[in-house]
Coordinates of all heavy atoms in Angstrom, one line a residue:
M104 N 17.6 -4.5 -10.4 CA 16.8 -3.4 -9.9 C 16.2 -2.5 -11.0 O 15.7 -1.5 -10.8 CB 17.7 -2.5 -9.0 CG 18.1 -3.1 -7.7 SD 16.7 -3.3 -6.6 CE 17.4 -4.3 -5.3
S105 N 16.3 -3.0 -12.3 CA 15.9 -2.2 -13.4 C 14.3 -2.3 -13.5 O 13.7 -1.4 -14.1 CB 16.5 -2.7 -14.7 OG 16.3 -4.1 -14.8
N106 N 13.7 -3.3 -13.0 CA 12.3 -3.4 -13.1 C 11.6 -3.5 -11.7 O 11.6 -4.5 -11.1 CB 11.9 -4.7 -13.9 CG 10.4 -4.8 -14.1 OD1 9.7 -3.9 -13.7 ND2 10.0 -5.9 -14.6
P107 N 11.1 -2.4 -11.2 CA 10.5 -2.3 -9.9 C 9.2 -3.1 -9.8 O 8.7 -3.3 -8.8 CB 10.2 -0.8 -9.7 CG 10.2 -0.2 -11.0 CD 11.0 -1.1 -11.9
Q108 N 8.6 -3.5 -11.0 CA 7.4 -4.2 -11.0 C 7.6 -5.7 -10.8 O 6.6 -6.5 -10.7 CB 6.7 -4.0 -12.3 CG 6.3 -2.6 -12.6 CD 5.4 -2.0 -11.4 OE1 4.5 -2.6 -10.9 NE2 5.8 -0.8 -11.0
T109 N 8.8 -6.2 -10.6 CA 9.0 -7.6 -10.4 C 8.3 -8.1 -9.2 O 8.3 -7.5 -8.2 CB 10.6 -7.9 -10.2 OG1 11.2 -7.3 -11.3 CG2 10.9 -9.3 -10.2
R110 N 7.6 -9.2 -9.4 CA 6.9 -9.8 -8.3 C 7.8 -10.4 -7.3 O 8.7 -11.1 -7.6 CB 6.0 -10.9 -8.9 CG 5.0 -11.5 -7.9 CD 4.1 -12.4 -8.7 NE 3.4 -13.4 -7.8 CZ 4.0 -14.6 -7.4 NH1 5.2 -14.9 -7.8 NH2 3.3 -15.4 -6.7
K111 N 7.6 -10.1 -6.0 CA 8.4 -10.7 -5.0 C 7.5 -11.6 -4.2 O 6.4 -11.4 -3.9 CB 8.9 -9.6 -4.0 CG 9.7 -8.5 -4.7 CD 10.0 -7.4 -3.7 CE 10.6 -6.2 -4.4 NZ 10.6 -5.0 -3.7
S112 N 8.1 -12.7 -3.7 CA 7.4 -13.6 -2.9 C 8.3 -14.0 -1.7 O 9.5 -14.1 -1.8 CB 7.0 -14.9 -3.7 OG 8.1 -15.5 -4.3
C113 N 7.6 -14.2 -0.6 CA 8.4 -14.5 0.6 C 9.0 -15.9 0.6 O 8.3 -16.9 0.1 CB 7.4 -14.4 1.8 SG 8.2 -14.7 3.4
V114 N 10.2 -16.0 1.0 CA 10.9 -17.3 0.9 C 10.7 -18.2 2.1 O 11.0 -19.4 2.1 CB 12.4 -17.0 0.8 CG1 13.0 -16.6 2.2 CG2 13.2 -18.1 0.2
V115 N 10.0 -17.7 3.1 CA 9.8 -18.5 4.3 C 8.7 -19.6 4.0 O 7.7 -19.4 3.4 CB 9.3 -17.7 5.5 CG1 8.9 -18.5 6.7 CG2 10.3 -16.6 5.8
P116 N 9.0 -20.9 4.4 CA 8.1 -22.0 4.1 C 6.7 -21.7 4.8 O 6.7 -21.2 5.8 CB 8.8 -23.2 4.8 CG 10.2 -22.8 5.1 CD 10.2 -21.3 5.2
K117 N 5.7 -22.1 4.1 CA 4.3 -21.9 4.5 C 3.8 -20.5 4.4 O 2.7 -20.2 4.6 CB 4.1 -22.5 5.9 CG 4.3 -24.0 5.9 CD 3.7 -24.6 7.2 CE 4.0 -26.1 7.4 NZ 5.2 -26.2 8.3
C118 N 4.7 -19.6 4.2 CA 4.3 -18.2 4.1 C 3.9 -17.9 2.6 O 4.7 -18.1 1.7 CB 5.4 -17.2 4.5 SG 4.8 -15.5 4.4
M119 N 2.7 -17.5 2.4 CA 2.2 -17.4 1.0 C 2.2 -15.9 0.5 O 1.7 -15.6 -0.5 CB 0.8 -17.9 0.9 CG 0.6 -19.4 1.4 SD 1.7 -20.5 0.5 CE 0.8 -20.7 -1.0
N120 N 2.8 -15.1 1.3 CA 2.8 -13.7 0.9 C 3.6 -13.4 -0.3 O 4.8 -13.8 -0.4 CB 3.3 -12.8 2.1 CG 2.3 -12.8 3.2 OD1 1.1 -13.0 3.1 ND2 2.8 -12.5 4.4
T121 N 3.0 -12.6 -1.2 CA 3.7 -12.1 -2.4 C 3.3 -10.7 -2.5 O 2.3 -10.2 -1.9 CB 3.3 -12.9 -3.7 OG1 2.0 -12.6 -4.0 CG2 3.5 -14.4 -3.5
T122 N 4.0 -10.0 -3.4 CA 3.6 -8.6 -3.6 C 2.3 -8.5 -4.4 O 1.7 -7.5 -4.5 CB 4.7 -7.8 -4.4 OG1 5.2 -8.6 -5.4 CG2 5.9 -7.4 -3.5
T123 N 1.9 -9.6 -4.9 CA 0.6 -9.7 -5.6 C -0.6 -9.8 -4.6 O -1.6 -9.1 -4.7 CB 0.6 -10.8 -6.6 OG1 1.7 -10.8 -7.4 CG2 -0.7 -10.7 -7.5
N124 N -0.5 -10.8 -3.7 CA -1.6 -11.0 -2.8 C -1.5 -10.3 -1.5 O -2.4 -10.2 -0.7 CB -1.8 -12.5 -2.5 CG -0.7 -13.2 -1.7 OD1 0.1 -12.5 -1.1 ND2 -0.6 -14.5 -1.7
A125 N -0.4 -9.6 -1.2 CA -0.2 -8.8 0.0 C 0.6 -7.6 -0.3 O 1.7 -7.4 0.2 CB 0.5 -9.6 1.1
P126 N 0.1 -6.7 -1.2 CA 0.9 -5.6 -1.7 C 1.2 -4.6 -0.6 O 2.1 -3.7 -0.7 CB 0.0 -5.0 -2.8 CG -1.4 -5.5 -2.5 CD -1.3 -6.8 -1.8
E127 N 0.4 -4.7 0.5 CA 0.7 -3.7 1.6 C 1.9 -4.1 2.5 O 2.3 -3.3 3.3 CB -0.6 -3.5 2.5 CG -0.9 -4.7 3.4 CD -1.5 -5.9 2.8 OE1 -1.6 -5.9 1.5 OE2 -1.7 -6.9 3.5
K128 N 2.3 -5.3 2.3 CA 3.4 -5.8 3.1 C 4.8 -5.4 2.6 O 4.9 -5.1 1.4 CB 3.4 -7.3 3.3 CG 2.2 -7.8 4.1 CD 2.4 -9.2 4.6 CE 1.2 -9.7 5.2 NZ 0.8 -9.0 6.5
L129 N 5.7 -5.3 3.5 CA 7.1 -4.9 3.1 C 7.8 -6.2 2.8 O 7.7 -7.2 3.5 CB 7.8 -4.1 4.2 CG 7.1 -2.8 4.6 CD1 7.9 -2.2 5.7 CD2 7.1 -1.9 3.4
F130 N 8.7 -6.2 1.8 CA 9.5 -7.3 1.5 C 11.0 -6.9 1.6 O 11.4 -5.9 1.0 CB 9.2 -7.9 0.1 CG 7.9 -8.6 0.1 CD1 6.7 -7.9 0.1 CD2 7.9 -10.0 0.2 CE1 5.5 -8.6 0.1 CE2 6.7 -10.7 0.2 CZ 5.5 -10.0 0.1
F131 N 11.7 -7.7 2.4 CA 13.1 -7.3 2.6 C 14.0 -8.3 1.7 O 13.7 -9.5 1.7 CB 13.5 -7.5 4.0 CG 12.7 -6.7 5.0 CD1 11.7 -7.2 5.8 CD2 12.9 -5.3 5.0 CE1 11.0 -6.4 6.6 CE2 12.2 -4.5 5.9 CZ 11.2 -5.0 6.7
V132 N 15.0 -7.7 1.1 CA 15.9 -8.6 0.4 C 16.8 -9.3 1.3 O 17.4 -8.7 2.2 CB 16.8 -7.7 -0.6 CG1 17.6 -8.6 -1.5 CG2 15.9 -6.8 -1.4
V133 N 16.9 -10.6 1.2 CA 17.9 -11.3 2.0 C 19.3 -11.0 1.5 O 19.6 -11.1 0.3 CB 17.6 -12.8 1.9 CG1 18.6 -13.6 2.8 CG2 16.2 -13.1 2.4
P134 N 20.2 -10.6 2.4 CA 21.5 -10.2 2.0 C 22.3 -11.4 1.3 O 22.1 -12.5 1.7 CB 22.2 -9.9 3.3 CG 21.2 -9.9 4.4 CD 20.0 -10.6 3.9
S135 N 23.1 -11.0 0.4 CA 23.9 -12.0 -0.3 C 25.1 -12.4 0.4 O 25.7 -13.5 0.2 CB 24.2 -11.5 -1.7 OG 24.8 -10.3 -1.7
N136 N 25.5 -11.6 1.3 CA 26.7 -11.9 2.2 C 26.4 -13.1 3.0 O 25.4 -13.3 3.7 CB 26.9 -10.7 3.1 CG 27.9 -10.9 4.2 OD1 27.8 -11.7 5.1 ND2 29.0 -10.2 4.0
A137 N 27.3 -14.1 2.9 CA 27.1 -15.4 3.5 C 26.8 -15.4 5.0 O 25.9 -16.1 5.5 CB 28.3 -16.3 3.2
Q138 N 27.5 -14.6 5.7 CA 27.3 -14.6 7.2 C 25.9 -14.0 7.5 O 25.2 -14.5 8.4 CB 28.4 -13.8 7.8 CG 29.4 -14.7 8.5 CD 30.3 -13.8 9.4 OE1 30.7 -12.7 9.0 NE2 30.8 -14.4 10.4
M139 N 25.6 -12.9 6.9 CA 24.3 -12.2 7.1 C 23.2 -13.2 6.7 O 22.2 -13.3 7.4 CB 24.2 -10.9 6.3 CG 24.9 -9.8 6.9 SD 24.2 -9.3 8.5 CE 22.7 -8.5 8.0
R140 N 23.4 -13.8 5.6 CA 22.3 -14.7 5.1 C 22.1 -15.9 6.1 O 20.9 -16.2 6.3 CB 22.8 -15.3 3.8 CG 21.6 -15.8 3.0 CD 22.1 -16.2 1.6 NE 21.7 -15.1 0.6 CZ 21.2 -15.4 -0.6 NH1 21.1 -16.6 -1.0 NH2 20.9 -14.4 -1.4
K141 N 23.2 -16.3 6.7 CA 23.0 -17.4 7.7 C 22.1 -16.9 8.8 O 21.3 -17.7 9.3 CB 24.4 -17.7 8.2 CG 24.7 -19.2 8.3 CD 26.2 -19.5 8.5 CE 26.4 -20.4 9.7 NZ 27.8 -20.6 10.0
K142 N 22.3 -15.7 9.3 CA 21.5 -15.2 10.3 C 20.1 -15.1 10.0 O 19.2 -15.4 10.8 CB 22.1 -13.7 10.6 CG 22.4 -13.5 12.1 CD 23.0 -12.1 12.2 CE 22.5 -11.4 13.4 NZ 23.1 -10.0 13.5
W143 N 19.8 -14.6 8.8 CA 18.4 -14.5 8.3 C 17.8 -15.9 8.2 O 16.6 -16.0 8.6 CB 18.4 -13.9 6.9 CG 18.6 -12.4 6.9 CD1 19.7 -11.7 7.4 CD2 17.7 -11.4 6.4 NE1 19.5 -10.4 7.2 CE2 18.3 -10.2 6.6 CE3 16.4 -11.5 5.8 CZ2 17.6 -9.0 6.2 CZ3 15.8 -10.3 5.4 CH2 16.4 -9.1 5.6
I144 N 18.5 -16.8 7.8 CA 18.0 -18.2 7.7 C 17.6 -18.7 9.0 O 16.5 -19.3 9.2 CB 19.0 -19.1 7.0 CG1 19.2 -18.7 5.5 CG2 18.6 -20.6 7.1 CD1 20.4 -19.3 4.9
Q145 N 18.4 -18.4 10.0 CA 18.0 -18.7 11.4 C 16.7 -18.1 11.8 O 15.8 -18.8 12.4 CB 19.1 -18.3 12.4 CG 20.2 -19.3 12.6 CD 21.3 -18.7 13.5 OE1 21.2 -17.5 14.0 NE2 22.2 -19.5 13.9
V146 N 16.6 -16.8 11.6 CA 15.4 -16.1 12.0 C 14.2 -16.7 11.3 O 13.1 -16.8 11.8 CB 15.6 -14.6 11.7 CG1 14.3 -13.9 11.9 CG2 16.7 -14.0 12.5
M147 N 14.4 -17.0 10.0 CA 13.3 -17.5 9.2 C 13.0 -19.0 9.5 O 12.1 -19.5 8.9 CB 13.6 -17.3 7.7 CG 13.6 -15.8 7.4 SD 13.9 -15.7 5.6 CE 15.7 -15.7 5.5
K148 N 13.8 -19.6 10.3 CA 13.6 -21.0 10.7 C 13.6 -21.8 9.4 O 12.9 -22.8 9.3 CB 12.3 -21.2 11.4 CG 12.1 -20.3 12.6 CD 11.7 -21.1 13.8 CE 11.6 -20.2 15.1 NZ 12.2 -18.9 15.1
R149 N 14.5 -21.5 8.5 CA 14.6 -22.2 7.3 C 15.9 -22.9 7.3 O 17.0 -22.3 7.5 CB 14.6 -21.2 6.1 CG 14.9 -21.8 4.8 CD 13.9 -21.4 3.8 NE 14.1 -22.3 2.6 CZ 13.3 -22.3 1.6 NH1 12.3 -21.4 1.5 NH2 13.5 -23.1 0.6
V150 N 15.8 -24.2 7.2 CA 17.0 -25.0 7.3 C 17.8 -25.0 6.0 O 19.0 -24.8 6.0 CB 16.7 -26.5 7.6 CG1 17.9 -27.3 7.9 CG2 15.7 -26.6 8.8
D151 N 17.1 -25.1 5.0 CA 17.7 -25.2 3.7 C 18.1 -23.8 3.2 O 17.3 -22.9 3.1 CB 16.7 -25.8 2.7 CG 17.3 -26.0 1.3 OD1 18.5 -26.2 1.2 OD2 16.4 -25.8 0.4
P152 N 19.4 -23.6 2.9 CA 19.7 -22.3 2.3 C 19.1 -22.1 0.9 O 18.6 -23.1 0.4 CB 21.3 -22.3 2.3 CG 21.7 -23.7 2.7 CD 20.5 -24.5 3.0
F153 N 19.3 -21.0 0.3 CA 18.5 -20.8 -0.9 C 19.3 -21.2 -2.1 O 18.9 -20.8 -3.2 CB 18.2 -19.3 -1.0 CG 17.7 -18.8 0.3 CD1 18.4 -17.8 1.0 CD2 16.5 -19.2 0.8 CE1 17.9 -17.4 2.2 CE2 16.0 -18.8 2.0 CZ 16.7 -17.8 2.7
G154 N 20.3 -22.0 -2.0 CA 21.0 -22.5 -3.1 C 21.6 -21.3 -4.0 O 22.1 -20.4 -3.4
A155 N 21.4 -21.5 -5.2 CA 22.1 -20.5 -6.1 C 21.3 -19.3 -6.3 O 21.7 -18.3 -6.9 CB 22.3 -21.2 -7.5
K156 N 20.0 -19.3 -5.8 CA 19.2 -18.1 -6.0 C 19.9 -16.9 -5.3 O 20.1 -17.0 -4.1 CB 17.8 -18.3 -5.3 CG 16.8 -18.8 -6.4 CD 15.5 -19.1 -5.6 CE 14.4 -18.2 -6.2 NZ 13.1 -18.4 -5.4
S157 N 20.1 -15.9 -6.0 CA 20.8 -14.8 -5.4 C 19.9 -13.7 -4.8 O 20.2 -13.0 -3.9 CB 21.8 -14.2 -6.4 OG 21.1 -13.7 -7.5
C158 N 18.7 -13.6 -5.3 CA 17.8 -12.6 -4.9 C 16.6 -13.2 -4.3 O 15.7 -13.6 -5.0 CB 17.5 -11.6 -6.1 SG 17.1 -10.0 -5.5
V159 N 16.5 -13.3 -3.0 CA 15.3 -13.8 -2.3 C 14.8 -12.8 -1.4 O 15.5 -11.9 -0.8 CB 15.6 -15.2 -1.6 CG1 15.8 -16.3 -2.6 CG2 16.9 -15.0 -0.8
Y160 N 13.5 -12.9 -1.1 CA 12.9 -11.9 -0.2 C 12.2 -12.6 1.0 O 11.8 -13.8 0.9 CB 11.8 -11.2 -1.0 CG 12.3 -10.4 -2.2 CD1 12.4 -11.0 -3.4 CD2 12.8 -9.1 -2.0 CE1 13.0 -10.3 -4.5 CE2 13.3 -8.4 -3.0 CZ 13.4 -9.0 -4.3 OH 13.9 -8.3 -5.3
C161 N 12.1 -11.8 2.0 CA 11.4 -12.3 3.2 C 10.4 -11.2 3.6 O 10.8 -10.0 3.6 CB 12.5 -12.4 4.3 SG 11.8 -12.9 5.9
C162 N 9.2 -11.5 3.9 CA 8.2 -10.5 4.2 C 8.2 -10.0 5.6 O 8.9 -10.6 6.5 CB 6.8 -10.9 3.8 SG 6.0 -12.0 4.9
E163 N 7.5 -8.9 5.9 CA 7.6 -8.3 7.2 C 7.0 -9.1 8.3 O 7.3 -8.8 9.5 CB 6.8 -6.9 7.1 CG 5.3 -7.1 6.9 CD 4.5 -5.8 7.0 OE1 5.0 -4.8 6.4 OE2 3.5 -5.8 7.7
D164 N 6.2 -10.1 8.0 CA 5.6 -11.0 9.1 C 6.7 -11.6 10.0 O 6.4 -12.0 11.1 CB 4.8 -12.1 8.4 CG 3.5 -11.5 7.9 OD1 3.3 -10.3 7.9 OD2 2.6 -12.4 7.5
H165 N 7.9 -11.8 9.4 CA 8.9 -12.5 10.2 C 9.8 -11.5 11.0 O 10.8 -12.0 11.5 CB 9.7 -13.4 9.3 CG 8.7 -14.1 8.3 ND1 7.9 -15.1 8.7 CD2 8.4 -13.9 7.0 CE1 7.2 -15.5 7.7 NE2 7.4 -14.7 6.7
F166 N 9.4 -10.3 10.9 CA 10.2 -9.3 11.7 C 9.3 -8.5 12.6 O 8.1 -8.6 12.5 CB 10.8 -8.3 10.7 CG 11.9 -8.9 9.8 CD1 11.6 -9.5 8.6 CD2 13.2 -8.9 10.2 CE1 12.6 -10.1 7.9 CE2 14.2 -9.5 9.5 CZ 13.9 -10.0 8.3
D167 N 9.9 -7.8 13.5 CA 9.2 -6.9 14.3 C 9.5 -5.5 13.7 O 10.4 -4.8 14.2 CB 9.7 -7.0 15.8 CG 8.8 -6.3 16.7 OD1 7.9 -5.6 16.3 OD2 9.0 -6.4 17.9
I168 N 8.9 -5.3 12.6 CA 9.4 -4.2 11.8 C 9.4 -2.8 12.4 O 10.2 -2.0 12.2 CB 8.8 -4.0 10.4 CG1 7.3 -4.1 10.5 CG2 9.3 -5.1 9.4 CD1 6.6 -3.5 9.2
E169 N 8.4 -2.6 13.3 CA 8.4 -1.3 14.0 C 9.6 -1.1 14.8 O 10.1 0.0 14.9 CB 7.1 -1.2 14.8 CG 5.9 -1.0 14.0 CD 4.6 -0.7 14.9 OE1 4.7 0.1 15.8 OE2 3.6 -1.4 14.6
K170 N 10.1 -2.2 15.3 CA 11.4 -2.1 16.1 C 12.6 -2.3 15.3 O 13.7 -1.7 15.6 CB 11.3 -3.1 17.2 CG 10.4 -2.8 18.3 CD 10.6 -3.7 19.5 CE 9.4 -3.7 20.4 NZ 8.9 -5.0 20.8
D171 N 12.5 -3.1 14.3 CA 13.7 -3.5 13.5 C 14.0 -2.5 12.4 O 15.2 -2.5 12.0 CB 13.5 -4.9 12.9 CG 13.5 -6.0 13.9 OD1 13.9 -5.7 15.1 OD2 13.2 -7.1 13.6
M172 N 13.1 -1.7 12.0 CA 13.4 -0.8 11.0 C 13.8 0.6 11.6 O 13.2 1.0 12.6 CB 12.2 -0.5 10.1 CG 12.2 -1.3 8.8 SD 10.7 -1.1 7.9 CE 10.9 0.6 7.3
E173 N 14.8 1.1 11.0 CA 15.3 2.4 11.6 C 14.4 3.5 11.2 O 14.3 4.5 12.0 CB 16.7 2.6 10.9 CG 17.7 3.4 11.7 CD 19.1 3.2 11.2 OE1 19.7 2.3 11.7 OE2 19.5 4.0 10.4
N174 N 13.8 3.4 10.1 CA 12.9 4.5 9.6 C 11.5 4.1 9.4 O 10.9 4.6 8.4 CB 13.6 5.1 8.4 CG 13.7 4.1 7.3 OD1 13.6 2.9 7.5 ND2 13.9 4.5 6.0
Y175 N 11.0 3.3 10.2 CA 9.6 2.7 10.0 C 8.6 3.8 9.9 O 7.8 3.9 8.9 CB 9.2 1.8 11.1 CG 7.8 1.2 11.0 CD1 7.6 0.2 10.1 CD2 6.8 1.7 11.8 CE1 6.3 -0.3 9.9 CE2 5.5 1.2 11.6 CZ 5.3 0.2 10.7 OH 4.0 -0.2 10.6
V176 N 8.5 4.7 10.8 CA 7.5 5.8 10.8 C 7.6 6.6 9.6 O 6.7 6.9 8.9 CB 7.6 6.6 12.1 CG1 6.6 7.7 12.1 CG2 7.3 5.7 13.3
K177 N 8.9 7.0 9.3 CA 9.1 7.9 8.2 C 8.7 7.1 6.9 O 8.1 7.7 6.0 CB 10.6 8.2 8.1 CG 10.9 9.4 7.2 CD 12.4 9.7 7.2 CE 12.7 10.6 6.0 NZ 14.0 10.3 5.5
Y178 N 9.1 5.9 6.8 CA 8.8 5.1 5.6 C 7.3 5.0 5.4 O 6.8 5.2 4.3 CB 9.4 3.7 5.8 CG 9.1 2.8 4.6 CD1 9.9 2.9 3.5 CD2 8.0 2.0 4.5 CE1 9.7 2.1 2.4 CE2 7.7 1.2 3.4 CZ 8.5 1.3 2.3 OH 8.3 0.5 1.2
K179 N 6.5 4.8 6.5 CA 5.1 4.7 6.4 C 4.5 6.0 6.0 O 3.5 6.1 5.3 CB 4.5 4.3 7.7 CG 4.6 2.8 8.0 CD 3.7 2.0 7.2 CE 3.9 0.5 7.3 NZ 3.1 -0.3 6.4
L180 N 5.1 7.1 6.4 CA 4.5 8.4 6.1 C 4.9 8.9 4.7 O 4.1 9.4 3.9 CB 5.0 9.4 7.1 CG 4.4 9.3 8.5 CD1 5.1 10.2 9.5 CD2 2.9 9.5 8.5
V181 N 6.2 8.8 4.4 CA 6.7 9.4 3.2 C 7.3 8.5 2.2 O 7.7 8.8 1.1 CB 7.6 10.6 3.4 CG1 6.9 11.7 4.1 CG2 8.8 10.2 4.3
G182 N 7.5 7.2 2.7 CA 8.1 6.2 1.8 C 9.6 6.4 1.8 O 10.2 7.0 2.7
G183 N 10.2 5.9 0.7 CA 11.7 5.9 0.6 C 12.3 4.5 0.8 O 11.6 3.5 0.5
R184 N 13.5 4.5 1.2 CA 14.2 3.2 1.3 C 14.0 2.6 2.6 O 14.0 3.3 3.6 CB 15.7 3.4 1.0 CG 16.0 3.5 -0.4 CD 17.5 3.8 -0.6 NE 18.3 2.6 -0.1 CZ 18.8 1.7 -1.0 NH1 18.6 1.9 -2.3 NH2 19.5 0.7 -0.5
I185 N 13.8 1.3 2.7 CA 13.7 0.6 3.9 C 15.1 0.5 4.5 O 16.0 0.1 3.9 CB 13.1 -0.8 3.7 CG1 11.7 -0.7 3.2 CG2 13.2 -1.6 5.0 CD1 11.2 -2.1 2.7
K186 N 15.2 0.9 5.8 CA 16.5 0.7 6.5 C 16.3 -0.2 7.7 O 15.5 0.2 8.6 CB 16.9 2.1 7.0 CG 17.9 2.8 6.1 CD 18.6 3.8 7.0 CE 19.1 5.0 6.4 NZ 19.3 6.1 7.3
L187 N 17.0 -1.3 7.7 CA 17.0 -2.1 8.9 C 18.0 -1.7 9.9 O 19.1 -1.2 9.5 CB 17.2 -3.6 8.5 CG 16.0 -4.2 7.8 CD1 16.4 -5.6 7.3 CD2 14.8 -4.3 8.7
K188 N 17.7 -1.8 11.2 CA 18.7 -1.4 12.2 C 19.9 -2.4 12.1 O 19.8 -3.5 11.7 CB 18.1 -1.5 13.5 CG 17.3 -0.3 13.9 CD 16.7 -0.4 15.3 CE 15.7 0.7 15.5 NZ 14.9 0.4 16.7
K189 N 21.0 -1.9 12.6 CA 22.2 -2.7 12.7 C 21.9 -3.9 13.6 O 21.3 -3.9 14.6 CB 23.3 -1.9 13.3 CG 24.3 -1.4 12.3 CD 25.6 -1.0 13.1 CE 26.7 -0.6 12.1 NZ 27.7 0.2 12.7
G190 N 22.4 -5.1 13.1 CA 22.3 -6.3 13.9 C 20.9 -7.0 13.7 O 20.7 -8.0 14.3
V191 N 20.1 -6.4 12.8 CA 18.8 -7.1 12.5 C 19.1 -8.0 11.3 O 19.8 -7.6 10.4 CB 17.8 -6.0 12.2 CG1 16.5 -6.6 11.6 CG2 17.5 -5.2 13.5
P192 N 18.5 -9.1 11.3 CA 17.6 -9.7 12.3 C 18.3 -10.3 13.5 O 19.4 -10.8 13.3 CB 16.8 -10.8 11.5 CG 17.9 -11.3 10.5 CD 18.7 -10.1 10.2
R193 N 17.7 -10.1 14.6 CA 18.3 -10.9 15.7 C 17.3 -12.1 16.0 O 16.2 -12.0 15.5 CB 18.4 -10.0 17.0 CG 17.1 -9.3 17.4 CD 17.4 -8.3 18.4 NE 17.5 -6.9 17.9 CZ 16.5 -6.2 17.5 NH1 15.3 -6.6 17.6 NH2 16.7 -5.0 17.0
T194 N 17.8 -13.1 16.7 CA 16.9 -14.2 16.9 C 16.1 -14.0 18.1 O 16.7 -13.6 19.2 CB 17.7 -15.5 17.0 OG1 18.9 -15.2 17.7 CG2 18.1 -16.1 15.6
Y195 N 14.8 -14.1 18.1 CA 14.0 -13.9 19.2 C 13.8 -15.1 20.1 O 13.9 -16.2 19.6 CB 12.6 -13.4 18.7 CG 12.6 -12.1 18.0 CD1 12.6 -12.1 16.6 CD2 12.8 -10.9 18.7 CE1 12.7 -10.9 15.9 CE2 12.9 -9.7 18.0 CZ 12.8 -9.7 16.6 OH 12.9 -8.5 16.0
Ligands
LIG61 ZN1 6.6 -14.2 4.9

């Protein structure tokens, strides 16, 4: 977390979003916790886990962020930290 300029790219297959070509999009860090990660992988429809990569991102396109974020409106207005609701992501 020492370099906020690090380029992030979405881990979902066929999704080409990166912080370079889609700077307006939000990128969520995929949790390193194995159980949570499994859930995210399900939501992202990604069969293959991310292997040894510890820091991977998923862009907002794969979420219903207005509903899934606890502080979406506040975040859009004043910024700050992204907070996902408990139990997110759920499988739709
Ligand atoms: Zn994406």
Side-chain angles (χ1 to χ4, degrees):
M104 291 290 171
S105 53
N106 183 6
Q108 296 306 316
T109 307
R110 183 173 164 275
K111 298 170 189 167
S112 56
C113 183
V114 76
V115 176
K117 297 196 185 96
C118 181
M119 303 306 281
N120 289 335
T121 68
T122 44
T123 311
N124 70 15
E127 76 284 359
K128 289 197 190 294
L129 301 177
F130 286 79
F131 302 106
V132 185
V133 178
S135 51
N136 174 291
Q138 255 189 327
M139 280 297 286
R140 200 171 259 221
K141 228 168 124 182
K142 230 173 142 184
W143 281 61
I144 292 164
Q145 270 180 354
V146 173
M147 293 183 273
K148 309 228 180 340
R149 172 132 193 175
V150 186
D151 180 33
F153 315 113
K156 265 178 121 183
S157 59
C158 205
V159 286
Y160 298 92
C161 176
C162 78
E163 66 173 49
D164 285 7
H165 318 285
F166 291 88
D167 191 352
I168 50 162
E169 285 183 50
K170 287 191 199 131
D171 289 349
M172 263 176 72
E173 208 162 271
N174 58 344
Y175 178 76
V176 177
K177 193 177 165 217
Y178 180 85
K179 283 285 173 185
L180 290 173
V181 295
R184 280 176 69 95
I185 298 169
K186 260 205 211 154
L187 288 172
K188 281 181 188 165
K189 256 194 176 164
V191 169
R193 53 191 98 77
T194 36
Y195 295 103

